[in-house]
Amino acid sequence: MTVSLSKGQGVSLKKNEFDLSSVTIGLGWDIHEEKKGFLGSLLGKKVEEYDLDVVAFLCNAQGKVTDLGGMQNGKPTLVGGDIIFFNSMKHPSGQIWLTGDNRTGAGDGDDEQIIVKLNTLDPKYHIIVFVVQIYNGAKLNQHFGKVDNAFIRAVDARNIEMARFNLSGGASFTNRRSMLFAELVRESTGWKLTAIGEPSDSDTFVTHLKGYL
C-alpha cells in the first residue's frame, strides 16, 4: 500500500521491501477549468495549456551540486552535468534520466517521469532534489493557483507505488511559478523520500539551484 505524504513528511524506501534497481519519480497535474457561461460554451473556449517541467539536482553529502556541465562563453551551460532537465535529459552516468517533456498535462497518470537506478547510483550522490517549474509562467501569467491535482510519486521496479505527495493549487499558490517539490536522501537501508512543497514566484529552476551551489 502506498504511503500518502503531507508537506514536511518523509518515508523510508528500504531495499529489503522494494526493488530500488529502477525507480520512477512521476509528476502529474491538471489545469483548473473555469466554469463556462452560456457564451463561453457556444465559443468552445479551450482549457489553457501549461508546460510544467520536472528537474532533478544530484547533490553530494553536503547537499551541493558540484558539476554544472560544460562551459560556454565562460558560463556553465548546465548541460551534461548533475542537473537533469529538458535540455539535458540523461545523466552522463546513465543512472538517471528524464523520459520526455509533456507540454500540456493532458491525460491521466504521470505527465512527466524521471527514472533513477537508486541501487547503482554513484555513492558520491547523497541527495536528489526535485523541482517543478511552469515554463514561461511569468510571461504567460500562469501560476500554481490554477493547477489542480498536482502530485509526485515514487514507483519501484515492480511497479509498486511506494509513496505519493498530492499538492493542489489554491489562493496560497497564486503567482507562484516554481516549487521545490520533494527530495530523496540516501540512507543505510535505502533512500528516504521527503515531501517539501515550497513554492517560489520565479518560473525557473535556476532560482532554486542557487541554494545548492
Side-chain angles (χ1 to χ4, degrees):
M1 180 181 291
T2 186
V3 175
S4 182
L5 299 174
S6 298
K7 181 176 178 179
Q9 289 185 326
V11 61
S12 292
L13 311 179
K14 298 181 179 180
K15 294 178 183 179
N16 62 357
E17 295 179 11
F18 301 106
D19 186 348
L20 305 183
S21 62
S22 180
V23 171
T24 299
I25 302 298
L27 167 73
W29 73 90
D30 296 314
I31 304 306
H32 180 72
E33 292 190 48
E34 300 290 343
K35 290 184 178 180
K36 297 179 180 179
F38 176 72
L39 185 60
S41 299
L42 286 177
L43 295 175
K45 187 178 179 182
K46 290 184 178 180
V47 176
E48 189 175 9
E49 292 183 351
Y50 274 45
D51 181 8
L52 270 69
D53 299 310
V54 60
V55 181
F57 307 155
L58 294 176
C59 304
N60 61 18
Q62 289 71 46
K64 301 297 182 181
V65 175
T66 59
D67 187 348
L68 297 178
M71 301 292 290
Q72 187 173 22
N73 298 324
K75 295 182 179 180
T77 63
L78 307 184
V79 174
D82 289 340
I83 301 160
I84 309 304
F85 69 114
F86 47 85
N87 283 338
S88 189
M89 295 175 62
K90 190 168 186 176
H91 192 264
S93 68
Q95 301 298 297
I96 179 170
W97 63 92
L98 179 64
T99 61
D101 184 15
N102 183 326
R103 301 192 174 189
T104 66
D108 296 328
D110 299 337
D111 293 312
E112 293 206 1
Q113 294 178 332
I114 286 182
I115 298 175
V116 54
K117 296 182 177 181
L118 290 178
N119 286 347
T120 52
L121 186 66
D122 194 312
K124 70 180 181 180
Y125 299 117
H126 283 252
I127 302 170
I128 308 174
V129 178
F130 298 96
V131 173
V132 182
Q133 69 173 29
I134 301 175
Y135 184 72
N136 276 339
K139 179 181 177 181
L140 299 174
N141 193 28
Q142 297 177 339
H143 52 81
F144 281 106
K146 295 181 181 179
V147 174
D148 288 339
N149 306 319
F151 67 83
I152 190 168
R153 68 184 189 129
V155 180
D156 81 349
R158 296 192 300 261
N159 203 33
I160 296 173
E161 184 175 286
M162 301 177 285
R164 172 184 289 253
F165 174 34
N166 294 314
L167 186 68
S168 293
S172 62
F173 291 134
T174 298
N175 295 326
R176 301 303 184 98
R177 298 181 172 93
S178 65
M179 186 176 300
L180 190 59
F181 215 155
E183 68 177 15
L184 280 166
V185 179
R186 191 186 289 272
E187 295 183 321
S188 60
T189 57
W191 292 75
K192 183 177 182 179
L193 177 68
T194 300
I196 300 175
E198 290 294 338
S200 167
D201 294 348
S202 172
D203 65 358
T204 172
F205 70 87
V206 176
T207 300
H208 299 275
L209 177 61
K210 292 175 181 177
Y212 294 88
L213 299 179

